[in-house]
Amino acid sequence: MEGSGILKSSKGKKEDLYHVIHKVPYGDSPYVKAKHAQLVQKDPEAAIVLFWKAINAGDRVDSALKDMAVVMKQLDRTEEAIEAIKSFRFICSKQAQDSLDNVLIDLYKKSGKIEEQIELLKRKLRSIYQGEAFNGKPTKTARSHGKKFQVSVKQETSRLLGNLGWAYMQKTNYMMAEVVYRKAQMVDPDANKACNLGLCLMRQARYDDAYSVLDDILQGRLPGSEDTKSRKRAEELLTELKSRLPQAQFSDLMGLDDDFVKGLEQLMNEWGPVRSKRLPIFEEITPLRNQLAC
């Protein structure tokens, strides 16, 4: 009898470990089978069929609808996913609506439905300033890559504004995008949104403003500046900015004023013949400065 108990205990531990590793829930319901097909069998088509069964059976409908839409998105069935959320979100709980909105925003973004994306983002922002977000609480629990973390209203506002700014960028409405990005940075600044703001300013040919924003990242003045991805993007944007400007103008932007450049040119001349020894950068600067002087 004692041996039997040990075997059962061992079996139970193995099952627990299985569910932890594969992140699938316990049971034998349609939703559990759908998650098994999605995460263990890696069969998204079968998972969608089973998620539909779960929704029709009323089995964990909130999660089933959201998870099904995510799988559909992965299969490029975005239109179908959008219609599914619109058609069945009314049977989901009030607590699930925010998550469904976020999935819908991603679906609109992927399918190129910019107007719908902007309208939904505005509606979510409106609910925040009307005090309706997070069911009146200052924070909410979010999940990313299987990990839970707390998100404040302030962080959520900045995130939504960032998404709205990007949507306006896709419509080439750069003035509106700039306004939104600057609002986002006022609420909760970070390096990623600063990169987008820098790009927005570049698209308006406001290179000095763009340089200032990108320099804040590279000088570590913004939260997230240490992130490798953000720094790399800022460097790439700065390289693009440099390619759009005459070398003389970029030198001025970097703080290389006329006296400084002339001093370097004089030093180069002292080292040897003008044509053979001067650095390429000064060959480019001189004719451009003469043109500007005229």
Side-chain angles (χ1 to χ4, degrees):
M1 293 293 289
E2 288 182 7
S4 176
I6 293 172
L7 285 173
K8 286 181 180 178
S9 176
S10 177
K11 184 180 178 182
K13 287 181 179 178
K14 285 182 179 178
E15 287 181 354
D16 288 343
L17 186 61
Y18 174 86
H19 287 285
V20 169
I21 292 172
H22 295 289
K23 299 177 182 177
V24 292
Y26 290 89
D28 194 36
S29 68
Y31 177 75
V32 172
K33 290 179 179 178
K35 293 300 289 183
H36 190 275
Q38 177 194 2
L39 300 174
V40 181
Q41 297 174 335
K42 307 294 183 183
D43 188 346
E45 296 289 354
I48 289 172
V49 172
L50 289 165
F51 279 131
W52 273 125
K53 286 185 178 181
I55 292 168
N56 290 327
D59 177 27
R60 299 177 69 164
V61 177
D62 291 0
S63 297
L65 181 56
K66 184 181 73 172
D67 291 346
M68 183 180 72
V70 170
V71 174
M72 286 178 170
K73 178 190 170 187
Q74 292 168 350
L75 295 177
D76 291 324
R77 293 164 60 177
T78 52
E79 295 289 343
E80 190 178 346
I82 289 169
E83 288 306 312
I85 291 178
K86 286 183 174 180
S87 300
F88 290 93
R89 68 182 305 166
F90 76 95
I91 63 174
C92 296
S93 68
K94 184 179 179 181
Q95 291 72 24
Q97 299 304 318
D98 188 53
S99 294
L100 290 171
D101 278 344
N102 290 333
V103 174
L104 204 51
I105 287 169
D106 286 340
L107 291 168
Y108 284 149
K109 185 184 296 185
K110 184 168 184 178
S111 61
K113 294 181 179 292
I114 307 300
E115 291 293 346
E116 290 86 344
Q117 185 185 351
I118 289 173
E119 184 57 37
L120 180 51
L121 286 165
K122 283 182 175 179
R123 180 167 63 78
K124 287 178 71 65
L125 286 163
R126 197 175 297 117
S127 72
I128 288 177
Y129 70 69
Q130 289 177 346
E132 299 169 0
F134 298 3
N135 297 311
K137 297 178 181 178
T139 62
K140 73 170 182 178
T141 302
R143 186 188 294 271
S144 178
H145 304 294
K147 294 182 180 180
K148 291 183 178 180
F149 57 95
Q150 292 296 309
V151 176
S152 68
V153 172
K154 186 177 179 181
Q155 290 170 322
E156 180 71 355
T157 302
S158 182
R159 184 185 72 84
L160 292 172
L161 284 168
N163 283 335
L164 184 58
W166 189 250
Y168 280 124
M169 287 281 284
Q170 306 316 297
K171 286 176 62 67
T172 66
N173 189 343
Y174 300 125
M175 290 181 65
M176 186 60 76
E178 180 191 349
V179 170
V180 173
Y181 276 133
R182 289 196 184 280
K183 291 280 187 184
Q185 291 295 77
M186 288 171 65
V187 173
D188 188 36
D190 67 58
N192 181 52
K193 289 193 295 292
C195 283
N196 291 336
L197 175 58
L199 176 61
C200 177
L201 292 166
M202 286 168 62
R203 294 292 180 265
Q204 298 177 71
R206 290 168 53 195
Y207 301 120
D208 52 347
D209 292 337
Y211 174 79
S212 177
V213 170
L214 296 173
D215 191 53
D216 281 343
I217 301 169
L218 297 176
Q219 296 300 324
R221 300 187 189 109
L222 290 171
S225 294
E226 71 286 351
D227 178 64
T228 306
K229 187 176 178 181
S230 294
R231 289 188 67 83
K232 183 179 179 182
R233 186 163 178 239
E235 288 168 357
E236 289 171 349
L237 287 170
L238 200 59
T239 300
E240 181 184 342
L241 188 156
K242 182 178 179 181
S243 71
R244 290 169 178 267
L245 290 175
Q247 189 62 54
Q249 192 176 344
F250 186 74
S251 296
D252 290 342
L253 203 60
M254 294 288 288
L256 304 181
D257 55 35
D258 281 352
D259 289 339
F260 183 80
V261 173
K262 286 176 181 176
L264 286 174
E265 287 182 337
Q266 183 178 351
L267 184 60
M268 294 296 106
N269 291 336
E270 290 174 1
W271 284 347
V274 173
R275 287 293 172 186
S276 61
K277 295 291 186 180
R278 295 174 76 188
L279 294 177
I281 182 172
F282 301 114
E283 296 291 343
E284 296 174 18
I285 289 174
T286 304
L288 287 168
R289 178 173 288 106
N290 292 337
Q291 290 173 22
L292 291 173
C294 295

